[in-house]
Amino acid sequence: MNFFSKLYFSMLVLITLALSVTEYFTVAMSLEANISTQVDTALNNHQLVKYAIQSDIFSSSADSDSRQGLNYTTLRSIGMSVSESMDIPLALYEYPSGALISNSIKLTLPEIDPVENQIEYFTKVTADDRKLIMSGSLISQNDKQYLLITQTDITSGYDNVREMAKNCVWVFLGVTATGILFAIVFSSFITRPIKELTDVGAGFTHGDYSGRVKVRSRDEIGKLASVYNQMADSIEDKISALELAVKQREDFTAAFAHELKTPMTSIIGYADTLYQKDLSETEARAAAGFIVNEGMRLESLSFKLLELMTLRKDDFMLEEIQMSDFMKDIEDTIKPAAARKGIKTIFDYEPGYVRIEIDLFKTLVLNLIDNAMKSGTSDVAVLAQSKDDVYMIAIVDHGRGIPKEELKRVTEAFYMVDKARSRKEHGAGLGLALCERIAQIHKTRLDIRSREGEGTAIRIRLKLEDGNGYDDDEE
């Protein structure tokens, strides 16, 4: 049985049970109150009849001046007169002989044990299902006693209660029908988010990660839906990231295979030419030169790929160093290569302490300077300054620049803005991807700004340290 059915039937049973118990006690209490009222009325009427008969007997006795009491004819006349005037059926007996004196209810002497100054009563059901209350008490007059019985019909009280019970049945049916509709609507409202959760969950199992549950309330169900949506967002983000990682890996593998194929094809082709043909010394040297050139590009590509794969780990130890010393080392390292290419280098740096992995960060800066020198610029500026709690390094060139639409992709592995020029210079499109990864290890990023035809500026921002972790003796 599903949750909707459980909730629906639970509500229906609760409504039915509560209504049944309420109506039962309502009818029972109404019957009890009605009967109690009828009994009180019967006893009061009996008392009034008794007073009236006693008064008439006393008056008749005074008029006749008889010390022997009244005869049956007079007593019968008094009883009939009181019964007619008060519209109350009664019977009058001589007590304890039981001789009937007056009777308008046509009863034999009932089995009743009267007590002096006390009214006794009992109930009686007739053959035609009428309910009666028979009240009895003793009347004393001139040393004689009479038993007075009065009759009160309480059938109407029972009829009223029976009519109430019938009405309660209709009310019960009406309320139950309304309760059924209410239970269906309420159960549907309560279980709708759960059904949506089930449907969305089923969609997740079939690869649809876009489904979300509409939050309609702030109760526990609403909170569950909200948490589920947050979980779905997180799962979708992670799956998207995984799919992107897989795609990037596939693109990486395909691009790397393509990059390997090109130099290998050239190497094999020229090697085959050297092996199978008789070439002049000049032709042989040219072929060997092509083989060496492509071999160097293949070697460079292999080393950069190895570095990129190695940098997937994140547990590198960062040391606190003086950046003026580091930048001086970069300047000394790059000057010979810049001189061979006829490029002017401008270094301007300030002191400051930062935490870096020296070899990796040196690779990062040298790669950026090497890219700048390949941009067709006549000069490269390397600037470093400290401000507030940030140490910023900037590499600026005035070369060909990067097209605006290419800027977002330049840090992708194997992506090259100018593929022909990059391969000519032994490039593989791994330089900036490598730099971006090293920057991430240092909790920073490459801020690349460029205009086509004007040049490129790349900034790196590092957190300044206080210098307490730097030891001058290490130099």
Side-chain angles (χ1 to χ4, degrees):
M1 183 181 291
N2 57 31
F3 181 69
F4 172 84
S5 300
K6 290 180 181 178
L7 182 61
Y8 167 70
F9 284 114
S10 297
M11 292 181 62
L12 188 59
V13 169
L14 181 62
I15 291 173
T16 303
L17 185 61
L19 187 60
S20 299
V21 171
T22 301
E23 290 194 350
Y24 171 80
F25 280 104
T26 299
V27 173
M29 293 174 65
S30 297
L31 179 60
E32 183 179 354
N34 197 296
I35 297 303
S36 177
T37 301
Q38 295 280 4
V39 169
D40 290 342
T41 301
L43 296 180
N44 290 334
N45 288 339
H46 180 86
Q47 189 67 43
L48 291 174
V49 170
K50 180 179 178 179
Y51 288 155
I53 291 177
Q54 282 181 323
S55 177
D56 287 349
I57 291 175
F58 181 79
S59 298
S60 299
S61 297
D63 292 340
S64 61
D65 194 23
S66 173
R67 297 172 181 265
Q68 299 299 323
L70 300 176
N71 56 38
Y72 284 177
T73 302
T74 304
L75 288 173
R76 183 181 298 109
S77 176
I78 290 173
M80 296 299 293
S81 174
V82 171
S83 176
E84 290 176 0
S85 62
M86 300 185 69
D87 194 22
I88 297 176
L90 60 83
L92 192 61
Y93 301 86
E94 188 179 82
Y95 189 80
S97 66
L100 182 62
I101 300 174
S102 179
N103 186 8
S104 60
I105 55 178
K106 299 179 181 180
L107 284 176
T108 57
L109 182 64
E111 295 182 2
I112 189 170
D113 188 14
V115 178
E116 188 74 30
N117 298 323
Q118 187 172 325
I119 302 174
E120 302 291 334
Y121 71 93
F122 66 93
T123 58
K124 178 179 178 64
V125 181
T126 64
D128 56 353
D129 200 31
R130 293 172 61 231
K131 279 75 174 175
L132 306 174
I133 292 180
M134 312 304 295
S135 307
S137 64
L138 292 175
I139 298 176
S140 299
Q141 188 69 31
N142 295 332
D143 298 329
K144 288 191 179 239
Q145 286 187 314
Y146 306 97
L147 176 60
L148 172 64
I149 302 294
T150 58
Q151 172 184 296
T152 303
D153 192 339
I154 62 171
T155 305
S156 61
Y158 279 91
D159 290 342
N160 291 336
V161 173
R162 189 178 293 110
E163 186 66 24
M164 178 186 292
K166 187 184 296 183
N167 292 334
C168 284
V169 170
W170 287 109
V171 170
F172 174 81
L173 294 176
V175 173
T176 301
T178 304
I180 291 173
L181 295 176
F182 173 79
I184 292 174
V185 173
F186 186 75
S187 299
S188 299
F189 178 77
I190 290 295
T191 58
R192 184 186 301 171
I194 299 177
K195 184 178 182 302
E196 290 181 1
L197 283 171
T198 304
D199 294 340
V200 172
F204 261 69
T205 61
H206 293 90
D208 179 14
Y209 308 113
S210 62
R212 295 295 183 272
V213 182
K214 186 175 181 180
V215 180
R216 295 182 173 84
S217 62
R218 296 183 179 180
D219 56 11
E220 289 77 5
I221 298 293
K223 290 179 180 178
L224 175 62
S226 179
V227 170
Y228 187 91
N229 288 340
Q230 293 174 9
M231 180 191 71
D233 291 338
S234 177
I235 291 174
E236 186 175 21
D237 291 342
K238 291 185 182 300
I239 289 176
S240 298
L242 288 173
E243 290 176 344
L244 179 61
V246 170
K247 186 178 184 306
Q248 288 177 340
R249 188 180 295 272
E250 291 174 349
D251 293 343
F252 185 94
T253 304
F256 183 63
H258 182 271
E259 290 295 327
L260 285 179
K261 180 180 178 181
T262 304
M264 288 301 295
T265 300
S266 299
I267 291 171
I268 292 171
Y270 283 108
D272 184 63
T273 301
L274 285 173
Y275 179 74
Q276 294 191 24
K277 295 182 179 181
D278 293 329
L279 302 175
S280 65
E281 183 178 352
T282 302
E283 291 173 334
R285 288 178 64 85
F290 277 112
I291 292 174
V292 171
N293 189 61
E294 291 301 308
M296 290 176 61
R297 190 160 76 88
L298 184 60
E299 180 186 37
S300 175
L301 177 64
S302 300
F303 280 131
K304 289 185 177 181
L305 175 64
L306 181 62
E307 285 181 308
L308 192 63
M309 294 177 66
T310 303
L311 291 176
R312 291 299 174 192
K313 65 178 185 177
D314 294 309
D315 56 347
F316 292 96
M317 182 176 293
L318 306 183
E319 301 177 52
E320 187 174 313
I321 70 163
Q322 171 57 261
M323 287 303 291
S324 59
D325 299 334
F326 176 82
M327 296 304 296
K328 180 65 171 64
D329 181 47
I330 294 291
E331 183 178 4
D332 294 339
T333 302
I334 205 68
K335 273 187 176 181
R340 284 195 303 271
K341 295 182 179 182
I343 297 174
K344 180 182 179 182
T345 56
I346 304 167
F347 279 81
D348 185 8
Y349 43 84
E350 297 177 356
Y353 293 93
V354 298
R355 287 189 177 276
I356 60 172
E357 206 291 325
I358 297 176
D359 292 331
L360 290 179
F361 201 74
K362 185 174 181 179
T363 299
L364 164 63
V365 177
L366 290 176
N367 260 291
L368 295 179
I369 295 175
D370 184 59
N371 285 344
M373 289 193 299
K374 293 175 182 177
S375 68
T377 185
S378 59
D379 58 82
V380 175
V382 181
L383 312 173
Q385 62 179 7
S386 59
K387 185 177 181 181
D388 298 330
D389 60 344
V390 174
Y391 192 87
M392 186 180 73
I393 301 172
I395 294 92
V396 183
D397 67 68
H398 299 89
R400 63 182 60 86
I402 304 171
K404 185 177 181 181
E405 62 274 11
E406 308 283 349
L407 269 177
K408 293 182 179 180
R409 301 194 61 191
V410 292
T411 56
E412 293 181 14
F414 292 111
Y415 186 80
M416 294 175 285
V417 177
D418 187 342
K419 295 179 175 58
R421 180 183 59 82
S422 296
R423 287 174 181 153
K424 182 179 178 181
E425 297 178 354
H426 299 161
L430 286 169
L432 285 179
L434 181 66
C435 292
E436 180 70 16
R437 180 60 187 147
I438 295 174
Q440 290 174 1
I441 292 171
H442 290 81
K443 303 296 187 295
T444 185
R445 53 183 290 273
L446 302 181
D447 180 9
I448 304 174
R449 302 181 185 184
S450 182
R451 287 188 179 181
E452 192 172 6
E454 295 184 14
T456 302
I458 301 179
R459 296 180 176 86
I460 308 167
R461 293 175 175 82
L462 298 170
K463 181 182 177 182
L464 271 173
E465 303 292 337
D466 54 16
N468 292 331
Y470 178 73
D471 188 356
D472 292 333
D473 294 338
E474 290 181 357
E475 297 180 1

